[in-house]
Amino acid sequence: SADPAHDLLDDIEQRKVLRVAIEPSFVGLSFRNKPGDPLKGMDVDYAKALAKYMNVSCEFIETPWDICTEVLTAGWRPGDATADVVISALPPSTEFLDTAYSETYTYLNFVLAKRVGDNSIQSLSDLEGKTVGIINDPGAFVVLEEAGLRWSSNADKAGGKVNIANLIAYSDQSKIHDCLADGIVDAFCVDQPIYHWACNNTASPWHGKIEIVPGNIA
């Protein structure tokens, strides 16, 4: 609201509901084991804890992660409610500093993952000539570039150490585990919680298929 007298907190307390925009397919952060199950994961826990602290209920507005901020100002359809807050792993954007983004409250390791049994990949240096997947986050590109990885668009940049065959960025979070398990990419670089549950929980469809290489790329 542009009204200087408007207070979003008052709205939330009066309706007794905190509306949270969240990506529903962020495995490990906000996801379901199977269709119809309630959302679970780290971001879901954060949202529920905030609502509990405010003594209100928590309502999720499920939204693809890269457009979650749009739901702060417009509902999905005419008449749909907007979100009060976004609690979802988002790429950084200076456009939203002091407006939609809080101070950082969680720091996540940025890790390299590979298929189980692929002993040819133990570190970034082993990615020479291979196809690598990443989450479509501007920060992810920067981390890999600073670590010395080079692909077609930055091939001439100084400081290159490892020339990969291709870098594929994924915005659809429902594809970022299958692409590695199915061999579309040779390795995947991602925030650790997004792969941790997928690799280690026996309920995961990718358990025993993909694994995280120890260490923090960032």
Side-chain angles (χ1 to χ4, degrees), residues 30-124:
S30 47
F31 68 111
R32 295 179 170 89
N33 275 6
K34 59 180 184 295
D37 281 0
L39 286 171
K40 68 176 187 176
M42 186 172 71
D43 285 339
V44 174
D45 291 344
Y46 278 140
K48 290 180 176 179
L50 176 58
K52 182 178 179 181
Y53 174 78
M54 298 171 67
N55 197 31
V56 298
S57 63
C58 184
E59 177 184 310
F60 291 114
I61 300 177
E62 300 181 18
T63 309
W65 73 296
D66 52 352
I67 60 170
C68 272
T69 51
E70 296 181 19
V71 189
L72 292 169
T73 55
W76 274 103
R77 295 173 297 273
D80 280 3
T82 56
D84 301 312
V85 295
V86 176
I87 301 182
S88 195
L90 293 174
S93 170
T94 55
E95 294 178 8
F96 287 105
L97 290 178
D98 302 320
T99 305
Y101 285 164
S102 68
E103 294 296 319
T104 301
Y105 54 85
T106 301
Y107 290 89
L108 309 175
N109 286 342
F110 193 69
V111 298
L112 172 66
K114 63 187 182 71
R115 284 184 291 280
V116 169
D118 183 359
N119 296 321
S120 69
I121 298 176
Q122 302 295 333
S123 67
L124 290 181

Side-chain angles (χ1 to χ4, degrees), residues 178-218:
D178 286 334
C179 69
L180 178 58
D182 296 343
I184 296 171
V185 298
D186 299 302
F188 204 96
C189 297
V190 68
D191 303 277
Q192 185 169 347
I194 298 172
Y195 255 55
H196 178 81
W197 183 91
C199 292
N200 296 295
N201 195 292
T202 55
S204 164
W206 305 282
H207 183 255
K209 298 179 181 179
I210 58 178
E211 61 184 347
I212 295 171
V213 177
N216 180 9
I217 298 172

Side-chain angles (χ1 to χ4, degrees), residues 157-171:
K157 189 176 180 67
K161 301 174 184 176
V162 180
N163 294 305
I164 62 175
N166 196 10
L167 185 68
I168 303 177
Y170 287 83
S171 290

